[in-house]
């Protein structure tokens, strides 16, 4: 939910993020990624959102987080998950 409680972001296996206007009951696609969207969160001030995205060529090991504008879907930064290896 957005910080003001008026909007909701949803995402999933269809690779898209939708922004819903809860008063109007309408939604629109705001972003599309190259992997399924596993989770979403809105920043406290509402100007940014983050999507946890898996599987795709952008992410070395199939996982990453994408910071984006929840109004336009414009990507601001991609945080790639590193490959975790055990060190003995």
């Amino acid at each position: 939910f957005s910080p003001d409680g008026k909007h909701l972001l949803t995402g999933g296996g269809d690779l898209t993020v939708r922004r819903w206007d809860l008063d109007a009951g309408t939604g629109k696609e705001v972003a599309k990624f190259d992997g399924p969207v596993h989770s979403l969160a809105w920043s406290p001030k509402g100007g940014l959102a983050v999507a946890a995205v898996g599987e795709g060529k952008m992410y070395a090991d199939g996982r990453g987080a994408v910071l984006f504008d929840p109004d336009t879907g414009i990507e601001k930064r991609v945080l790639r998950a590193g490959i975790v290896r055990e060190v003995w």
Side-chain angles (χ1 to χ4, degrees), residues 41-63:
W42 226 299
S43 67
K45 293 184 180 180
L48 285 175
V50 63
V53 179
E55 303 173 3
K57 63 183 184 298
M58 277 177 30
Y59 315 105
D61 65 350
R63 294 174 294 138

Side-chain angles (χ1 to χ4, degrees), residues 62-80:
R63 294 174 294 138
V66 181
L67 296 172
F68 66 98
D69 182 314
D71 294 324
T72 65
I74 295 172
E75 291 184 14
K76 303 294 184 178
R77 181 173 288 177
V78 176
L79 306 171
R80 290 179 181 86

Side-chain angles (χ1 to χ4, degrees), residues 9-20:
L9 293 175
T10 61
D14 66 353
L15 316 183
T16 63
V17 173
R18 288 178 181 77
R19 180 186 168 120
W20 295 88

